[in-house]
Amino acid sequence: MIMSFNDFQTTYLSEVTNHMIGKVKALDLPDHLKESMIYSLQAGGKRLRPLMVLATMQSFGRDPKEGMAAASALEMIHTYSLIHDDLPAMDDDDLRRGNPTNHKVFGEAMAILAGDGLLTFSFQLLAEDEHLPDEKKVELIALLARCAGPEGMVGGQVADIEGENGELTVEELQSIHVRKTGKLLMFSVMAGAIMSDASPGELASLEEFAYHVGLAFQIQDDILDIEGSEELIGKPVGSDESKHKSTYPKLLTMSGAKEKLAYHLNGALDSLKRVNRDTDLLEEIANLIAVRNH
Amino acid sequence: MIMSFNDFQTTYLSEVTNHMIGKVKALDLPDHLKESMIYSLQAGGKRLRPLMVLATMQSFGRDPKEGMAAASALEMIHTYSLIHDDLPAMDDDDLRRGNPTNHKVFGEAMAILAGDGLLTFSFQLLAEDEHLPDEKKVELIALLARCAGPEGMVGGQVADIEGENGELTVEELQSIHVRKTGKLLMFSVMAGAIMSDASPGELASLEEFAYHVGLAFQIQDDILDIEGSEELIGKPVGSDESKHKSTYPKLLTMSGAKEKLAYHLNGALDSLKRVNRDTDLLEEIANLIAVRNH
């Protein structure tokens, strides 16, 4: 292993953030729009998605810096989706990671437009990147749009809203999560692999890896909502229950959910073994996701 | 001239609509999301932007059908912007072209997501097009994102909201219109020209043409709000005045606004003369825009 994920994160987390902020700062925009976009990009979080893009490139012996546009575009799309999800017409959240949500600071109209701006700009970033050849840009743009668009994240968000208060089966719950959060995680690994000229076999194994990691991530989220520490996860424990949301522990019992988490973690690690590269960083990320406490 | 704009419109308007609807119908989506996206795509309008893409290609002797992806992507972005503009947090409009706005039919959450879905899908359409080489796709995607994004339409919408109720100068008003409506019109002509392998000189003249057409379009809009027929324009005459909006007639007097309209129409036609192609269709569109009654 070249470095631990902790070291990798220390190096690249701030680099991704600085890259995104720098790109938005360089735009010629109305002041409030720029502030609103930067406010949410700076709000932070684990930056799991862009770090997975870069970690995948590292596994293939590539320079992670060449994936900065794809990593930033992905994180901008994730950020826009949080801004729109928090709106009064959607989840109506006042706080995110302990800070006021975008619309509480800048108003609803600006929050909608900042989200639209980040979404649109993410495709510009990819199309204008100086490292990638046109063929890769087109492949990444098509994949990102499929993962983030109506058949991906947007469709998952609709299915999630429509599934609220209803009784879902495990299959329905899984189908929502695969679209709502899984597809963007899938993009992170696939984008890194595409930029590293991975073989079709490697791409297939990494897609399977990302599928399992995405579901493990969501199951652990549901478990933390019951067993987690309020201080660490930054929101009240039991909020899924009080919103009558379908969750893995609710549908499968807590021990059933933990079994499923172990199943997907193993599935992720097995898929990774079929990739004959230095995938220690990706393995560490999968393990961290499954045992994280926030 | 190969055909009049009227014949051209008759042929291609329904083709653009059918192409867009067909692409969305083919997606695997939650039913309500699909209905919401199609509802606004079907709501119609003049389809000025996609028709200008195709008319530009026709001017260069190309088959307009090869521009269908770019034309559809552009109209989808125009459509998403109308859905989001109509939201309660923005213009709060209940009716558009005499029909209930998207959020009145499908609810606010779905309207936000249908807009996000159309915006994202528009880039997918371009990236997955079967006619264009990768190099053209990347050029068109970058240009579309610049025209529609924070430095273009989204920024213009922010500036428009912030300029409401304030006293604007003619320069400020023009800067808002160039971004809010002008850039997408510019894209329509430039996309058609790029797909037709126009020379740098032709591109420069067509960009100037589009700039003048965009401003002529907006000035005529302002004039119609005062002198137009309520029945023909589909909204109450005098609505700008009652909203205290800055308009060309308000800032320049009616005769000053009409002079400026003539100036931009002449500018458009002059620019077109420098393009040594069969540009009769584009000339007709410019004239129609300046004398239209709705």
Side-chain angles (χ1 to χ4, degrees):
Chain A
M1 190 190 322
I2 301 158
M3 53 168 108
S4 70
F5 180 67
N6 202 28
D7 292 345
F8 188 80
Q9 192 172 31
T10 305
T11 307
Y12 287 110
L13 193 148
S14 59
E15 219 165 307
V16 170
T17 304
N18 292 341
H19 187 82
M20 292 190 299
I21 308 278
K23 287 289 180 184
V24 173
K25 274 202 176 143
L27 294 173
D28 181 21
L29 303 188
D31 290 344
H32 285 124
L33 177 60
K34 189 178 280 194
E35 287 164 25
S36 172
M37 289 168 70
I38 289 178
Y39 177 81
S40 289
L41 288 175
Q42 258 170 345
K46 293 181 279 289
R47 307 282 192 215
L48 180 65
R49 291 156 195 80
L51 288 172
M52 280 178 85
V53 176
L54 306 180
T56 305
M57 294 187 75
Q58 174 105 327
S59 301
F60 281 79
R62 301 292 175 118
D63 181 0
K65 284 186 187 162
E66 294 190 359
M68 207 51 84
S72 298
L74 172 59
E75 187 68 5
M76 283 186 187
I77 287 199
H78 174 58
T79 304
Y80 114 75
S81 77
L82 300 181
I83 297 174
H84 282 191
D85 281 4
D86 286 337
L87 286 167
M90 308 268 274
D91 291 347
D92 195 15
D93 278 318
D94 293 351
L95 290 174
R96 173 161 297 274
R97 302 196 191 101
N99 294 312
T101 45
N102 194 294
H103 66 272
K104 295 305 280 184
V105 180
F106 297 95
E108 271 185 68
M110 191 65 78
I112 294 168
L113 288 161
D116 294 343
L118 286 168
L119 171 54
T120 313
F121 187 53
S122 69
F123 291 103
Q124 186 178 333
L125 261 190
L126 270 172
E128 290 179 346
D129 180 55
E130 56 194 9
H131 297 293
L132 299 165
D134 288 341
E135 177 206 334
K136 297 280 185 200
K137 288 182 183 181
V138 170
E139 197 176 346
L140 292 175
I141 289 166
L143 183 62
L144 182 57
R146 282 197 296 274
C147 290
E151 291 192 308
M153 183 181 69
V154 167
Q157 176 67 8
V158 170
D160 190 27
I161 293 173
E162 297 195 327
E164 271 170 18
N165 296 315
E167 269 294 308
L168 298 177
T169 64
V170 178
E171 288 70 31
E172 288 167 338
L173 183 65
Q174 180 160 316
S175 156
I176 290 171
H177 288 315
V178 164
R179 284 174 286 168
K180 192 179 167 180
T181 57
K183 294 257 180 172
L184 280 198
L185 282 172
M186 198 266 270
F187 175 83
S188 69
V189 176
M190 298 302 277
I194 289 167
M195 289 187 286
S196 306
D197 300 305
S199 70
E202 289 168 331
L203 286 172
S205 296
L206 285 169
E207 185 168 357
E208 218 179 290
F209 166 75
Y211 166 82
H212 286 299
V213 166
L215 286 172
F217 182 86
Q218 193 56 51
I219 297 168
Q220 179 65 358
D221 232 38
D222 286 356
I223 292 173
L224 283 175
D225 189 70
I226 295 172
E227 295 191 341
S229 142
E230 237 168 78
E231 216 173 320
L232 288 173
I233 63 176
K235 62 176 181 178
V237 166
S239 71
D240 290 340
E241 181 68 38
S242 66
K243 287 180 186 165
H244 306 288
K245 286 189 83 160
S246 292
T247 66
Y248 286 92
K250 193 169 163 186
L251 296 179
L252 298 172
T253 76
M254 180 56 85
S255 73
K258 287 183 176 174
E259 260 172 49
K260 206 160 185 74
L261 172 62
Y263 166 80
H264 286 298
L265 177 59
N266 285 331
L269 299 178
D270 280 350
S271 314
L272 212 50
K273 277 184 200 129
R274 290 196 292 280
V275 181
N276 198 15
R277 302 277 181 169
D278 184 6
T279 54
D280 290 6
L281 261 183
L282 294 176
E283 187 181 325
E284 205 185 333
I285 293 175
N287 280 309
L288 284 173
I289 282 175
V291 301
R292 75 204 153 93
N293 56 14
H294 68 283
Chain B
M1 194 190 321
I2 300 158
M3 53 169 108
S4 70
F5 180 68
N6 202 27
D7 291 345
F8 188 80
Q9 192 171 32
T10 305
T11 307
Y12 287 109
L13 193 147
S14 59
E15 223 167 302
V16 170
T17 304
N18 292 341
H19 187 82
M20 293 191 298
I21 308 278
K23 288 288 180 185
V24 174
K25 274 202 175 141
L27 295 174
D28 180 20
L29 302 188
D31 291 344
H32 284 123
L33 177 59
K34 190 179 278 193
E35 287 164 26
S36 171
M37 288 167 71
I38 289 178
Y39 176 82
S40 290
L41 288 175
Q42 257 169 346
K46 294 181 280 286
R47 307 281 192 215
L48 179 66
R49 290 157 195 80
L51 288 171
M52 280 178 84
V53 177
L54 306 180
T56 305
M57 294 186 76
Q58 174 104 330
S59 301
F60 280 79
R62 301 292 175 119
D63 181 359
K65 283 184 188 165
E66 296 192 357
M68 207 51 85
S72 297
L74 173 58
E75 187 68 4
M76 282 186 187
I77 286 199
H78 174 60
T79 303
Y80 114 76
S81 77
L82 300 181
I83 297 174
H84 282 190
D85 281 3
D86 287 336
L87 286 166
M90 310 267 272
D91 291 347
D92 195 14
D93 278 318
D94 294 350
L95 291 173
R96 174 162 297 273
R97 300 196 193 99
N99 294 311
T101 45
N102 194 295
H103 66 272
K104 295 306 279 185
V105 179
F106 297 94
E108 269 186 69
M110 192 65 80
I112 294 168
L113 288 162
D116 293 343
L118 286 168
L119 171 54
T120 312
F121 187 52
S122 68
F123 290 104
Q124 186 178 335
L125 261 190
L126 270 172
E128 290 179 344
D129 181 55
E130 57 194 8
H131 296 293
L132 298 166
D134 287 341
E135 176 205 334
K136 297 279 186 202
K137 288 182 184 180
V138 169
E139 197 176 346
L140 292 175
I141 288 167
L143 184 62
L144 182 56
R146 282 198 296 273
C147 290
E151 291 192 309
M153 184 180 69
V154 167
Q157 176 67 7
V158 170
D160 190 26
I161 292 173
E162 297 196 327
E164 271 170 20
N165 296 316
E167 269 296 309
L168 298 178
T169 64
V170 178
E171 288 70 31
E172 289 166 336
L173 182 66
Q174 180 159 316
S175 157
I176 290 170
H177 288 315
V178 164
R179 284 174 286 168
K180 192 179 167 180
T181 57
K183 294 257 180 173
L184 280 198
L185 283 172
M186 197 266 270
F187 176 83
S188 69
V189 176
M190 298 302 277
I194 288 167
M195 288 187 286
S196 306
D197 300 305
S199 71
E202 288 169 332
L203 285 172
S205 297
L206 285 169
E207 185 168 357
E208 216 180 291
F209 166 75
Y211 166 81
H212 287 299
V213 166
L215 286 172
F217 181 85
Q218 192 57 51
I219 297 169
Q220 179 65 357
D221 231 38
D222 286 355
I223 292 172
L224 283 175
D225 189 70
I226 296 171
E227 295 192 342
S229 143
E230 239 168 75
E231 216 173 322
L232 288 173
I233 62 176
K235 61 177 181 179
V237 165
S239 72
D240 289 341
E241 181 67 38
S242 66
K243 288 179 186 166
H244 306 289
K245 284 189 84 159
S246 293
T247 66
Y248 285 93
K250 194 168 162 186
L251 296 179
L252 298 173
T253 76
M254 181 55 85
S255 74
K258 286 183 176 173
E259 259 172 49
K260 204 155 185 80
L261 173 62
Y263 166 81
H264 286 298
L265 177 59
N266 285 332
L269 300 177
D270 280 349
S271 313
L272 214 51
K273 277 184 199 130
R274 289 196 292 280
V275 181
N276 199 16
R277 303 277 181 169
D278 184 5
T279 54
D280 290 6
L281 261 184
L282 293 176
E283 186 181 325
E284 206 185 333
I285 292 175
N287 279 310
L288 284 173
I289 281 175
V291 301
R292 75 204 153 92
N293 56 15
H294 69 285

PDB file of all heavy atoms in Angstrom, chain B residues 76-96:
ATOM      1  N   MET B  76     -35.028  21.109 -23.877  1.00  0.00           N
ATOM      2  CA  MET B  76     -35.221  20.541 -22.532  1.00  0.00           C
ATOM      3  C   MET B  76     -34.693  21.502 -21.462  1.00  0.00           C
ATOM      4  O   MET B  76     -35.288  21.637 -20.398  1.00  0.00           O
ATOM      5  CB  MET B  76     -34.493  19.196 -22.408  1.00  0.00           C
ATOM      6  CG  MET B  76     -35.252  18.067 -23.082  1.00  0.00           C
ATOM      7  SD  MET B  76     -34.465  16.476 -22.755  1.00  0.00           S
ATOM      8  CE  MET B  76     -35.459  15.439 -23.842  1.00  0.00           C
ATOM      9  N   ILE B  77     -33.575  22.148 -21.753  1.00  0.00           N
ATOM     10  CA  ILE B  77     -33.027  23.107 -20.786  1.00  0.00           C
ATOM     11  C   ILE B  77     -33.938  24.330 -20.685  1.00  0.00           C
ATOM     12  O   ILE B  77     -34.212  24.827 -19.589  1.00  0.00           O
ATOM     13  CB  ILE B  77     -31.578  23.485 -21.178  1.00  0.00           C
ATOM     14  CG1 ILE B  77     -30.679  22.283 -20.841  1.00  0.00           C
ATOM     15  CG2 ILE B  77     -31.131  24.768 -20.476  1.00  0.00           C
ATOM     16  CD1 ILE B  77     -29.217  22.579 -20.721  1.00  0.00           C
ATOM     17  N   HIS B  78     -34.433  24.801 -21.829  1.00  0.00           N
ATOM     18  CA  HIS B  78     -35.403  25.899 -21.797  1.00  0.00           C
ATOM     19  C   HIS B  78     -36.628  25.487 -20.960  1.00  0.00           C
ATOM     20  O   HIS B  78     -37.112  26.259 -20.124  1.00  0.00           O
ATOM     21  CB  HIS B  78     -35.791  26.252 -23.234  1.00  0.00           C
ATOM     22  CG  HIS B  78     -36.883  27.268 -23.347  1.00  0.00           C
ATOM     23  ND1 HIS B  78     -36.762  28.544 -22.818  1.00  0.00           N
ATOM     24  CD2 HIS B  78     -38.110  27.205 -23.916  1.00  0.00           C
ATOM     25  CE1 HIS B  78     -37.877  29.212 -23.070  1.00  0.00           C
ATOM     26  NE2 HIS B  78     -38.702  28.434 -23.724  1.00  0.00           N
ATOM     27  N   THR B  79     -37.089  24.270 -21.159  1.00  0.00           N
ATOM     28  CA  THR B  79     -38.286  23.786 -20.449  1.00  0.00           C
ATOM     29  C   THR B  79     -38.043  23.680 -18.946  1.00  0.00           C
ATOM     30  O   THR B  79     -38.890  24.090 -18.135  1.00  0.00           O
ATOM     31  CB  THR B  79     -38.712  22.410 -21.013  1.00  0.00           C
ATOM     32  OG1 THR B  79     -38.931  22.535 -22.418  1.00  0.00           O
ATOM     33  CG2 THR B  79     -39.990  21.909 -20.340  1.00  0.00           C
ATOM     34  N   TYR B  80     -36.885  23.122 -18.550  1.00  0.00           N
ATOM     35  CA  TYR B  80     -36.582  23.031 -17.110  1.00  0.00           C
ATOM     36  C   TYR B  80     -36.568  24.425 -16.492  1.00  0.00           C
ATOM     37  O   TYR B  80     -37.044  24.630 -15.370  1.00  0.00           O
ATOM     38  CB  TYR B  80     -35.250  22.287 -16.867  1.00  0.00           C
ATOM     39  CG  TYR B  80     -34.149  23.143 -16.268  1.00  0.00           C
ATOM     40  CD1 TYR B  80     -34.167  23.495 -14.906  1.00  0.00           C
ATOM     41  CD2 TYR B  80     -33.108  23.648 -17.044  1.00  0.00           C
ATOM     42  CE1 TYR B  80     -33.180  24.316 -14.371  1.00  0.00           C
ATOM     43  CE2 TYR B  80     -32.128  24.459 -16.515  1.00  0.00           C
ATOM     44  CZ  TYR B  80     -32.168  24.801 -15.174  1.00  0.00           C
ATOM     45  OH  TYR B  80     -31.207  25.625 -14.640  1.00  0.00           O
ATOM     46  N   SER B  81     -36.013  25.408 -17.247  1.00  0.00           N
ATOM     47  CA  SER B  81     -35.904  26.756 -16.672  1.00  0.00           C
ATOM     48  C   SER B  81     -37.296  27.362 -16.455  1.00  0.00           C
ATOM     49  O   SER B  81     -37.511  28.092 -15.488  1.00  0.00           O
ATOM     50  CB  SER B  81     -35.031  27.657 -17.553  1.00  0.00           C
ATOM     51  OG  SER B  81     -35.736  28.098 -18.701  1.00  0.00           O
ATOM     52  N   LEU B  82     -38.231  27.050 -17.340  1.00  0.00           N
ATOM     53  CA  LEU B  82     -39.604  27.547 -17.153  1.00  0.00           C
ATOM     54  C   LEU B  82     -40.247  26.899 -15.925  1.00  0.00           C
ATOM     55  O   LEU B  82     -40.927  27.563 -15.138  1.00  0.00           O
ATOM     56  CB  LEU B  82     -40.457  27.261 -18.397  1.00  0.00           C
ATOM     57  CG  LEU B  82     -39.976  27.886 -19.719  1.00  0.00           C
ATOM     58  CD1 LEU B  82     -40.942  27.523 -20.856  1.00  0.00           C
ATOM     59  CD2 LEU B  82     -39.837  29.398 -19.615  1.00  0.00           C
ATOM     60  N   ILE B  83     -40.032  25.588 -15.761  1.00  0.00           N
ATOM     61  CA  ILE B  83     -40.617  24.885 -14.600  1.00  0.00           C
ATOM     62  C   ILE B  83     -40.098  25.501 -13.299  1.00  0.00           C
ATOM     63  O   ILE B  83     -40.881  25.798 -12.384  1.00  0.00           O
ATOM     64  CB  ILE B  83     -40.272  23.369 -14.638  1.00  0.00           C
ATOM     65  CG1 ILE B  83     -40.888  22.702 -15.864  1.00  0.00           C
ATOM     66  CG2 ILE B  83     -40.768  22.682 -13.362  1.00  0.00           C
ATOM     67  CD1 ILE B  83     -40.475  21.233 -16.044  1.00  0.00           C
ATOM     68  N   HIS B  84     -38.784  25.688 -13.214  1.00  0.00           N
ATOM     69  CA  HIS B  84     -38.221  26.259 -11.984  1.00  0.00           C
ATOM     70  C   HIS B  84     -38.609  27.735 -11.807  1.00  0.00           C
ATOM     71  O   HIS B  84     -38.898  28.170 -10.696  1.00  0.00           O
ATOM     72  CB  HIS B  84     -36.693  26.077 -11.960  1.00  0.00           C
ATOM     73  CG  HIS B  84     -36.253  24.681 -11.581  1.00  0.00           C
ATOM     74  ND1 HIS B  84     -34.952  24.332 -11.309  1.00  0.00           N
ATOM     75  CD2 HIS B  84     -36.976  23.538 -11.417  1.00  0.00           C
ATOM     76  CE1 HIS B  84     -34.878  23.043 -10.988  1.00  0.00           C
ATOM     77  NE2 HIS B  84     -36.090  22.542 -11.070  1.00  0.00           N
ATOM     78  N   ASP B  85     -38.641  28.499 -12.908  1.00  0.00           N
ATOM     79  CA  ASP B  85     -39.040  29.920 -12.806  1.00  0.00           C
ATOM     80  C   ASP B  85     -40.468  30.086 -12.288  1.00  0.00           C
ATOM     81  O   ASP B  85     -40.788  31.084 -11.654  1.00  0.00           O
ATOM     82  CB  ASP B  85     -38.967  30.614 -14.180  1.00  0.00           C
ATOM     83  CG  ASP B  85     -37.540  30.988 -14.555  1.00  0.00           C
ATOM     84  OD1 ASP B  85     -36.621  30.661 -13.784  1.00  0.00           O
ATOM     85  OD2 ASP B  85     -37.355  31.604 -15.613  1.00  0.00           O
ATOM     86  N   ASP B  86     -41.335  29.138 -12.620  1.00  0.00           N
ATOM     87  CA  ASP B  86     -42.742  29.252 -12.228  1.00  0.00           C
ATOM     88  C   ASP B  86     -42.990  28.900 -10.763  1.00  0.00           C
ATOM     89  O   ASP B  86     -44.080  29.158 -10.236  1.00  0.00           O
ATOM     90  CB  ASP B  86     -43.612  28.316 -13.103  1.00  0.00           C
ATOM     91  CG  ASP B  86     -43.780  28.840 -14.529  1.00  0.00           C
ATOM     92  OD1 ASP B  86     -43.640  30.060 -14.734  1.00  0.00           O
ATOM     93  OD2 ASP B  86     -44.067  28.028 -15.428  1.00  0.00           O
ATOM     94  N   LEU B  87     -42.009  28.304 -10.095  1.00  0.00           N
ATOM     95  CA  LEU B  87     -42.199  27.829  -8.705  1.00  0.00           C
ATOM     96  C   LEU B  87     -42.606  28.972  -7.762  1.00  0.00           C
ATOM     97  O   LEU B  87     -42.242  30.128  -7.985  1.00  0.00           O
ATOM     98  CB  LEU B  87     -40.902  27.194  -8.191  1.00  0.00           C
ATOM     99  CG  LEU B  87     -40.552  25.811  -8.757  1.00  0.00           C
ATOM    100  CD1 LEU B  87     -39.093  25.456  -8.426  1.00  0.00           C
ATOM    101  CD2 LEU B  87     -41.489  24.739  -8.211  1.00  0.00           C
ATOM    102  N   PRO B  88     -43.346  28.636  -6.718  1.00  0.00           N
ATOM    103  CA  PRO B  88     -43.762  29.651  -5.742  1.00  0.00           C
ATOM    104  C   PRO B  88     -42.602  30.499  -5.212  1.00  0.00           C
ATOM    105  O   PRO B  88     -42.757  31.707  -5.020  1.00  0.00           O
ATOM    106  CB  PRO B  88     -44.385  28.812  -4.619  1.00  0.00           C
ATOM    107  CG  PRO B  88     -44.899  27.599  -5.301  1.00  0.00           C
ATOM    108  CD  PRO B  88     -43.927  27.310  -6.410  1.00  0.00           C
ATOM    109  N   ALA B  89     -41.435  29.875  -5.000  1.00  0.00           N
ATOM    110  CA  ALA B  89     -40.294  30.636  -4.472  1.00  0.00           C
ATOM    111  C   ALA B  89     -39.703  31.580  -5.508  1.00  0.00           C
ATOM    112  O   ALA B  89     -38.944  32.483  -5.164  1.00  0.00           O
ATOM    113  CB  ALA B  89     -39.210  29.666  -3.988  1.00  0.00           C
ATOM    114  N   MET B  90     -40.073  31.377  -6.785  1.00  0.00           N
ATOM    115  CA  MET B  90     -39.540  32.236  -7.852  1.00  0.00           C
ATOM    116  C   MET B  90     -40.663  33.170  -8.333  1.00  0.00           C
ATOM    117  O   MET B  90     -41.058  34.050  -7.584  1.00  0.00           O
ATOM    118  CB  MET B  90     -38.983  31.369  -8.992  1.00  0.00           C
ATOM    119  CG  MET B  90     -38.024  30.283  -8.514  1.00  0.00           C
ATOM    120  SD  MET B  90     -36.282  30.764  -8.530  1.00  0.00           S
ATOM    121  CE  MET B  90     -35.883  30.285 -10.215  1.00  0.00           C
ATOM    122  N   ASP B  91     -41.200  32.969  -9.550  1.00  0.00           N
ATOM    123  CA  ASP B  91     -42.232  33.888 -10.043  1.00  0.00           C
ATOM    124  C   ASP B  91     -43.633  33.563  -9.522  1.00  0.00           C
ATOM    125  O   ASP B  91     -44.557  34.358  -9.693  1.00  0.00           O
ATOM    126  CB  ASP B  91     -42.252  33.881 -11.578  1.00  0.00           C
ATOM    127  CG  ASP B  91     -41.010  34.527 -12.160  1.00  0.00           C
ATOM    128  OD1 ASP B  91     -40.275  35.178 -11.392  1.00  0.00           O
ATOM    129  OD2 ASP B  91     -40.778  34.385 -13.372  1.00  0.00           O
ATOM    130  N   ASP B  92     -43.794  32.385  -8.942  1.00  0.00           N
ATOM    131  CA  ASP B  92     -45.081  31.957  -8.395  1.00  0.00           C
ATOM    132  C   ASP B  92     -46.214  32.093  -9.422  1.00  0.00           C
ATOM    133  O   ASP B  92     -47.220  32.762  -9.171  1.00  0.00           O
ATOM    134  CB  ASP B  92     -45.413  32.774  -7.128  1.00  0.00           C
ATOM    135  CG  ASP B  92     -46.548  32.131  -6.333  1.00  0.00           C
ATOM    136  OD1 ASP B  92     -46.878  30.959  -6.594  1.00  0.00           O
ATOM    137  OD2 ASP B  92     -47.109  32.813  -5.452  1.00  0.00           O
ATOM    138  N   ASP B  93     -46.035  31.458 -10.567  1.00  0.00           N
ATOM    139  CA  ASP B  93     -47.064  31.509 -11.617  1.00  0.00           C
ATOM    140  C   ASP B  93     -47.916  30.245 -11.614  1.00  0.00           C
ATOM    141  O   ASP B  93     -47.394  29.137 -11.542  1.00  0.00           O
ATOM    142  CB  ASP B  93     -46.401  31.674 -13.000  1.00  0.00           C
ATOM    143  CG  ASP B  93     -46.045  33.129 -13.284  1.00  0.00           C
ATOM    144  OD1 ASP B  93     -46.884  33.994 -12.956  1.00  0.00           O
ATOM    145  OD2 ASP B  93     -44.954  33.377 -13.819  1.00  0.00           O
ATOM    146  N   ASP B  94     -49.232  30.440 -11.704  1.00  0.00           N
ATOM    147  CA  ASP B  94     -50.142  29.295 -11.742  1.00  0.00           C
ATOM    148  C   ASP B  94     -50.401  28.814 -13.165  1.00  0.00           C
ATOM    149  O   ASP B  94     -50.796  27.669 -13.384  1.00  0.00           O
ATOM    150  CB  ASP B  94     -51.500  29.673 -11.122  1.00  0.00           C
ATOM    151  CG  ASP B  94     -51.383  29.954  -9.641  1.00  0.00           C
ATOM    152  OD1 ASP B  94     -50.301  29.677  -9.072  1.00  0.00           O
ATOM    153  OD2 ASP B  94     -52.361  30.458  -9.057  1.00  0.00           O
ATOM    154  N   LEU B  95     -50.227  29.722 -14.106  1.00  0.00           N
ATOM    155  CA  LEU B  95     -50.533  29.385 -15.501  1.00  0.00           C
ATOM    156  C   LEU B  95     -49.344  29.680 -16.404  1.00  0.00           C
ATOM    157  O   LEU B  95     -48.608  30.645 -16.197  1.00  0.00           O
ATOM    158  CB  LEU B  95     -51.729  30.213 -16.007  1.00  0.00           C
ATOM    159  CG  LEU B  95     -53.106  29.904 -15.418  1.00  0.00           C
ATOM    160  CD1 LEU B  95     -54.110  30.930 -15.900  1.00  0.00           C
ATOM    161  CD2 LEU B  95     -53.559  28.490 -15.792  1.00  0.00           C
ATOM    162  N   ARG B  96     -49.166  28.832 -17.394  1.00  0.00           N
ATOM    163  CA  ARG B  96     -48.200  29.085 -18.462  1.00  0.00           C
ATOM    164  C   ARG B  96     -48.855  28.690 -19.771  1.00  0.00           C
ATOM    165  O   ARG B  96     -49.313  27.576 -19.916  1.00  0.00           O
ATOM    166  CB  ARG B  96     -46.911  28.305 -18.227  1.00  0.00           C
ATOM    167  CG  ARG B  96     -45.937  28.423 -19.397  1.00  0.00           C
ATOM    168  CD  ARG B  96     -44.521  28.043 -19.070  1.00  0.00           C
ATOM    169  NE  ARG B  96     -43.865  28.869 -18.085  1.00  0.00           N
ATOM    170  CZ  ARG B  96     -43.194  30.016 -18.361  1.00  0.00           C
ATOM    171  NH1 ARG B  96     -43.171  30.499 -19.603  1.00  0.00           N
ATOM    172  NH2 ARG B  96     -42.598  30.666 -17.398  1.00  0.00           N
TER     173      ARG B  96
END
